[in-house]
């Protein structure tokens, strides 16, 4: 059975994701960041210690062929450093520079701006995030129907 785009959950998710990135754009443009760069920086801002590239990849669901060039751009912008792990040189750790840390304060208003723009309550946002994370995990599961 063929469905119209308006009847497809995949299209609803795609459309919502696109609208979300558009809503973030003015805030991120002011910081000189793309949405994926912002997500990676958010992962670094909340990390208790400099994570490995693999750890970031797992957290933000970007493969290394996407993440490595993104990290190189953030490094060229002076926001992060990439260094070999002293205990396992196969691992690369990503840390924030002072400028990268300072950007956290400049971006602190963004989540509240987005939350207000959704028109949802915090409970609704938390429930939606939980449901979407569960959906994403199910779709990534090796036994997911394809």
């Amino acid at each position: 059975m063929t469905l119209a785009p308006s009847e497809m959950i995949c299209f609803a998710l795609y459309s919502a994701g696109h609208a979300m990135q558009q809503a973030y754009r003015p805030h991120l443009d002011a910081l000189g960041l793309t949405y994926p760069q912002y997500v990676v920086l958010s992962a670094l801002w909340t990390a208790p210690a400099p994570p490995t590239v693999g750890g970031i990849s797992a957290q933000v669901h970007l493969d290394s062929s996407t993440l490595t060039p993104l990290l190189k751009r953030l490094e060229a912008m002076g926001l992060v450093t990439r260094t070999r792990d002293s205990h396992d040189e196969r691992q690369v750790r990503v840390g924030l520079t002072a400028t990268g840390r300072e950007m956290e304060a400049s971006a602190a208003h963004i989540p509240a701006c987005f939350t207000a723009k959704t028109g949802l309550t915090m409970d609704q946002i938390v429930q939606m995030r939980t449901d979407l994370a569960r959906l994403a995990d199910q779709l990534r599961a090796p036994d997911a129907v394809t």
Side-chain angles (χ1 to χ4, degrees):
M1 174 172 83
T2 302
L3 299 174
S6 62
E7 298 171 324
M8 298 176 184
I9 189 171
C10 58
F11 182 75
L13 290 167
Y14 168 79
S15 180
H18 183 71
M20 184 180 326
Q21 289 188 33
Q22 292 301 104
Y24 271 96
R25 178 164 278 142
H27 302 288
L28 298 179
D29 284 351
L31 297 173
L33 297 173
T34 64
Y35 182 76
Q37 290 170 338
Y38 170 72
V39 170
V40 169
L41 285 171
S42 293
L44 293 170
W45 292 330
T46 57
T52 63
V53 171
I56 296 169
S57 176
Q59 185 177 357
V60 301
H61 304 290
L62 291 174
D63 59 37
S64 62
S65 64
T66 301
L67 185 57
T68 299
L70 187 152
L71 291 171
K72 286 181 179 180
R73 285 191 297 279
L74 290 174
E75 188 173 39
M77 294 166 69
L79 300 174
V80 302
T81 60
R82 295 177 305 139
T83 56
R84 294 270 171 207
D85 186 294
S86 59
H87 301 292
D88 182 355
E89 291 199 7
R90 296 171 296 174
Q91 299 289 323
V92 175
R93 295 217 169 256
V94 181
L96 290 161
T97 64
T99 304
R101 265 283 160 225
E102 290 166 8
M103 186 171 278
E104 180 179 10
S106 300
H109 70 286
I110 294 174
C113 289
F114 179 72
T115 298
K117 190 164 180 79
T118 67
L120 300 171
T121 67
M122 189 51 68
D123 286 344
Q124 290 171 318
I125 289 171
V126 168
Q127 185 62 54
M128 185 179 297
R129 184 185 63 221
T130 300
D131 292 344
L132 290 171
R134 187 178 306 121
L135 174 62
D137 289 346
Q138 179 63 35
L139 293 172
R140 286 187 195 102
D143 60 342
V145 176
T146 55

